[in-house]
Amino acid sequence: EDQVTQSPEALRLQEGESSSLNCSYTVSGLRGLFWYRQDPGKGPEFLFTLYSAGEEKEKERLKATLTKKESFLHITAPKPEDSATYLCAVQEGSSASKIIFGSGTRLSIRP
Amino acid sequence: DTAVSQTPKYLVTQMGNDKSIKCEQNLGHDTMYWYKQDSKKFLKIMFSYNNKELIINETVPNRFSPKSPDKAHLNLHINSLELGDSAVYFCASSHLGLAENTGELFFGEGSRLTVL
């Protein structure tokens, strides 16, 4: 069965303190791995899609990387406005397959 | 302009009642979805429609019935509500069907359902 596991469950950082969030996945043939940001009381907001091992995507202070078994979301010199829950999701290789989400990492950045 | 809008945002009701949540998207997308987010924050897909046609129907009790009158609308009707139905329900849309999707789903703000 396809699975997505994110760690840690919660992470508190000081402003400017860089760190990484992990997403481990088990899927029979990866079609795509996705990162979303979710603010309290809001719907998830799309950040990145990664398709193959070795691929990297960047957006402001965020960089997502992908290996054959996991993905990392690196946050460099975070600011308080980066505080949110970050969700990872995967889609397996067969067509019309559903997108499966992890339970997220709740990130808090203290000023 | 809200891209994906859901109503109501909050819904509090008694067990056994029937309720509906409405969703509309103005993005011109062909595919719409309903997701359920439980207290542990897991987002689980319930249904997916492509051009008004049901393409994903997860293992969801048949008390849940989606209806898509046109490709811009996807409503969710729930009969005989149970305590375990309490959750946040998200509507989403995507430009392409799941077979071609880049993974970019556009979500509404969610409808928090509380069953007492």
Side-chain angles (χ1 to χ4, degrees):
Chain A
E1 185 180 321
D2 299 341
Q3 279 196 318
V4 180
T5 304
Q6 292 188 244
S7 63
E9 193 173 308
L11 182 62
R12 296 187 70 184
L13 299 172
Q14 199 68 35
E15 184 173 1
E17 181 185 359
S18 302
S19 188
S20 297
L21 314 183
N22 177 264
C23 171
S24 301
Y25 62 91
T26 306
V27 68
S28 52
L30 181 71
R31 183 179 184 85
L33 183 140
F34 320 110
W35 282 97
Y36 281 79
R37 170 191 170 127
Q38 186 174 21
D39 292 300
K42 303 286 185 184
E45 180 185 342
F46 174 79
L47 292 173
F48 304 110
T49 299
L50 299 166
Y51 292 105
S52 55
E55 190 175 357
E56 298 183 353
K57 292 270 178 76
E58 281 191 68
K59 182 178 180 178
E60 295 180 2
R61 295 175 291 281
L62 300 175
K63 182 167 86 171
T65 61
L66 181 64
T67 71
K68 287 188 176 178
K69 291 185 179 180
E70 57 191 353
S71 176
F72 292 93
L73 184 65
H74 308 278
I75 302 175
T76 303
K79 298 182 178 182
E81 53 262 41
D82 295 322
S83 298
T85 296
Y86 290 85
L87 300 169
C88 172
V90 298
Q91 185 177 25
E92 65 142 336
S94 60
S95 64
S97 56
K98 57 187 182 287
I99 294 172
I100 299 168
F101 282 82
S103 59
T105 294
R106 195 170 60 253
L107 177 66
S108 299
I109 309 298
R110 298 189 300 271
Chain B
D1 272 354
T2 305
V4 181
S5 58
Q6 308 179 214
T7 54
K9 193 170 171 68
Y10 299 97
L11 194 49
V12 181
T13 189
Q14 299 286 332
M15 260 174 38
N17 284 349
D18 303 340
K19 290 294 176 187
S20 292
I21 307 171
K22 295 186 175 181
C23 178
E24 175 182 5
Q25 54 95 2
N26 63 6
L27 297 167
H29 288 169
D30 289 331
T31 307
M32 296 184 72
Y33 312 80
W34 277 110
Y35 277 85
K36 177 181 180 180
Q37 189 170 45
D38 60 23
S39 56
K40 291 185 188 283
K41 299 299 184 184
F42 274 107
L43 263 171
K44 290 184 182 174
I45 191 165
M46 301 172 70
F47 303 102
S48 174
Y49 272 74
N50 180 264
N51 272 320
K52 302 195 298 174
E53 182 184 343
L54 181 66
I55 56 171
I56 286 182
N57 185 349
E58 280 298 283
T59 311
V60 175
N62 57 16
R63 298 181 294 104
F64 290 79
S65 52
K67 278 197 172 57
S68 182
D70 55 61
K71 72 174 192 178
H73 295 85
L74 181 61
N75 304 323
L76 183 65
H77 188 75
I78 315 170
N79 288 328
S80 304
L81 279 156
E82 299 178 357
L83 293 177
D85 296 333
S86 295
V88 181
Y89 292 85
F90 285 98
C91 177
S93 72
S94 64
H95 176 55
L96 299 169
L98 280 171
E100 307 89 8
N101 204 331
T102 60
E104 185 170 6
L105 303 179
F106 291 79
F107 283 86
E109 296 210 329
S111 298
R112 181 176 291 277
L113 172 64
T114 303
V115 183
L116 304 174

